[in-house]
Amino acid sequence: MNESVKHTYRLKLDLQLFNQEKTEEATPKKKQESRDKGQVSKTADLPGSFVLLFIFLTFIAFGDYYKHRIMMLFGSLFQDWILMELTAGNIMALFYQVLMEMLLLLAPIFAVAVVVAVIGNVIQFGFLFTGEPLKPKLSKINPINGFKQIFSMRSLVEFVKSIIKITVIAVLVFAAISKEWDRILTLATLPVQDIFGFAAGLTVKLGIQIGAVLVVIGIADYFYQRYEHEKSLKMSKQDIKDEFTKSEGNPIIKGRIRERQRRMALQRMMQEVPKADVVITNPTHFAIALKYDPAKMEAPVILAKGMDHVALKIREVARENGVLTMENKPLARALYDRAEIGDAIPADLFQAVAEVLAYVYKLKGRAKSS
C-alpha cells in the first residue's frame, strides 16, 4: 500500500514538473505585453554597423562636397585667418564662421547616422514608443543579479562576438596595409594633396569593408537575439491555463453566472404565463403561451415558450392560474421553432392561431354565461 501511495505521489510530482516546464510558444497576449514593456528582440550591433557602412558610402557619394568644404575651411585658416589680427570684435565672427563650416561639413554625416540608426531599429521590431525601460527598478542595481549576468551565457556570447569583431577588423586592416605597404613607404616624396587623397581612399575602402563585415555579424547576432527572446518568452502549460483563466474568466464562475441568468430569465417568463389567453402544447415536449389584446396588439404575441421540463413548468403555472391549455402538435412545434419570446406570431400561422383563440374565447364566454 505504501509503495502504491509513493508511486502515485511521484506521478503527481512528475506531472506538476511537466506542467511547469516552459516548452510552449508564447501566446499573442504575452508577446504583446512583452512588447509594451519594451522587451523585444533586437541587437545594438546592427544599427551601428549600418551607420558605419553608410557613412563611408556617403564619403564616396559626396566626395566632391567634402573636398570642397575641407579646402574652404583649411584654406581660409592657413591663408587668410593665420595673419589676421585678433581683436574682441572679430574673434566671435571668426568663431562663428569656423563653426558654420564645421556644421556644413558634418551635417550629411549626422543626417545619415540618424536616418540609418532609426531604420536599423525599425526593421528589427517596428515602431515602438514606450517609457517602460526608463522606469527605475531596484533589480537593476542588485549586485547578485549583476554577478549572474557577468557569468551568464549572454555575457559569454557577447565576449565571443567582441573577439570575433576585433579579429576581423585587425585582419582587414593588416591585409589593406600589407597590400599598400610599398605605396606607403613612398608617401614622403609625394605632394600633400596626393598623400591626403591616398589616405582618404584607403580609409574609405577599409571603412566599407569593415562596415560590411560588421553588418553580417549584426544580422547573425539579430537572429541569435531573436531566438533568445522567444526562448525567454516560452510558457509552461500551467502558464497558458492561468492566462486563459485570467483573460476569459474562471469557467466555473462563468458557468454559475450563466446558470443564474437562465434561472432569472425562466422566472421572468413564468411570471408572464398567468397573463396568457391560452397555452398550446405538443402535448409533452413543447408549450407556448399566447396573449392577444386587439386594442394594443396587431397580432397575438408569445409570452413564454419551453421544451421538456420547461414546457411542463409552463403547463403547471397555467393550470394553477386558470389559463386554458390546448393540444395542437403541428402548431406548437411551428410556433416554438419560428418565433421567440416577445415576438408576434408569423403571418402564415394567423389562421391557425385565430381558430384556437376563437375557441378559447367561446369557452370563456360559456363559462361567464354559466
Side-chain angles (χ1 to χ4, degrees):
M1 183 66 181
N2 291 335
E3 290 297 327
S4 177
V5 172
K6 290 180 180 179
H7 181 67
T8 303
Y9 176 76
R10 290 196 196 98
L11 288 177
K12 290 182 178 179
L13 183 60
D14 291 341
L15 182 60
Q16 290 177 356
L17 292 175
F18 175 75
N19 287 335
Q20 293 299 327
E21 290 181 358
K22 297 184 181 298
T23 57
E24 307 300 315
E25 293 293 330
T27 60
K29 183 175 183 294
K30 183 170 183 180
K31 290 181 179 179
Q32 185 59 45
E33 289 177 350
S34 175
R35 181 179 176 83
D36 293 340
K37 294 177 182 178
Q39 299 172 357
V40 292
S41 57
K42 62 178 180 177
T43 172
D45 292 340
L46 192 58
S49 57
F50 273 131
V51 168
L52 178 65
L53 177 61
F54 279 92
I55 283 179
F56 278 100
L57 289 175
T58 57
F59 288 153
I60 297 177
F62 299 98
D64 292 338
Y65 172 83
Y66 289 120
K67 179 181 177 181
H68 175 69
R69 286 296 168 185
I70 291 173
M71 294 300 293
M72 285 186 62
L73 176 61
F74 289 98
S76 298
L77 281 173
F78 292 120
Q79 292 182 10
D80 302 329
W81 301 335
I82 197 170
L83 300 176
M84 179 185 297
E85 182 179 354
L86 297 179
T87 63
N90 62 15
I91 188 66
M92 291 305 299
L94 175 62
F95 176 78
Y96 177 77
Q97 188 174 353
V98 173
L99 179 63
M100 290 303 299
E101 290 292 338
M102 293 295 295
L103 289 177
L104 291 173
L105 182 65
L106 297 176
I109 298 176
F110 290 154
V112 170
V114 171
V115 172
V116 173
V118 171
I119 295 175
N121 284 288
V122 169
I123 62 177
Q124 292 187 78
F125 51 83
F127 290 96
L128 177 62
F129 298 96
T130 177
E132 191 69 23
L134 301 178
K135 292 182 179 180
K137 294 182 180 179
L138 295 178
S139 59
K140 293 182 179 180
I141 59 175
N142 189 336
I144 298 177
N145 292 340
F147 184 78
K148 290 180 179 179
Q149 291 178 359
I150 292 174
F151 295 97
S152 64
M153 179 59 68
R154 182 181 294 272
S155 298
L156 179 60
V157 171
E158 291 296 325
F159 175 74
V160 172
K161 186 174 63 177
S162 299
I163 295 298
I164 292 174
K165 289 193 291 186
I166 293 173
T167 303
V168 170
I169 293 173
V171 170
L172 290 175
V173 172
F174 178 78
I177 293 178
S178 298
K179 187 177 180 180
E180 300 290 344
W181 185 248
D182 295 336
R183 181 80 181 276
I184 293 173
L185 294 177
T186 62
L187 288 179
T189 61
L190 299 177
V192 175
Q193 186 173 355
D194 293 343
I195 296 175
F196 178 80
F198 171 78
L202 183 60
T203 302
V204 170
K205 180 181 177 181
L206 268 175
I208 293 175
Q209 291 177 352
I210 293 172
V213 172
L214 292 181
V215 166
V216 174
I217 295 176
I219 292 173
D221 184 56
Y222 166 73
F223 284 107
Y224 171 75
Q225 298 295 341
R226 184 174 179 178
Y227 165 77
E228 285 293 321
H229 178 69
E230 292 179 353
K231 182 180 177 181
S232 67
L233 291 180
K234 280 191 173 183
M235 306 170 67
S236 65
K237 295 181 182 296
Q238 187 62 41
D239 291 336
I240 295 177
K241 292 179 182 178
D242 293 342
E243 181 185 289
F244 178 79
T245 301
K246 183 178 179 181
S247 60
E248 299 294 331
N250 193 312
I252 298 176
I253 296 177
K254 291 180 69 176
R256 290 176 180 174
I257 293 174
R258 286 195 295 267
E259 180 61 28
R260 185 175 180 181
Q261 290 173 342
R262 284 195 294 267
R263 288 200 302 266
M264 293 176 63
L266 180 62
Q267 185 178 3
R268 287 195 299 268
M269 185 178 70
M270 292 304 172
Q271 293 173 353
E272 296 294 320
V273 173
K275 303 176 184 179
D277 293 322
V278 64
V279 174
I280 302 174
T281 65
N282 194 24
T284 57
H285 295 297
F286 301 97
I288 295 89
L290 298 177
K291 171 72 175 178
Y292 180 54
D293 186 351
K296 299 178 180 179
M297 305 175 184
E298 297 181 357
V301 174
I302 296 177
L303 297 183
K305 73 171 189 175
M307 181 176 166
D308 296 333
H309 70 279
V310 178
L312 178 61
K313 183 67 175 176
I314 292 174
R315 291 198 299 272
E316 290 177 357
V317 174
R319 185 170 58 253
E320 293 172 358
N321 291 272
V323 179
L324 291 175
T325 300
M326 292 189 62
E327 179 182 337
N328 189 325
K329 296 180 181 180
L331 182 59
R333 184 59 185 263
L335 288 171
Y336 184 88
D337 291 340
R338 297 175 57 189
E340 298 298 328
I341 298 172
D343 294 346
I345 64 172
D348 58 332
L349 298 179
F350 281 180
Q351 182 63 35
V353 172
E355 292 176 358
V356 172
L357 290 176
Y359 181 72
V360 170
Y361 294 151
K362 186 176 179 181
L363 291 177
K364 288 183 177 180
R366 290 178 182 177
K368 290 180 180 180
S369 63
S370 63

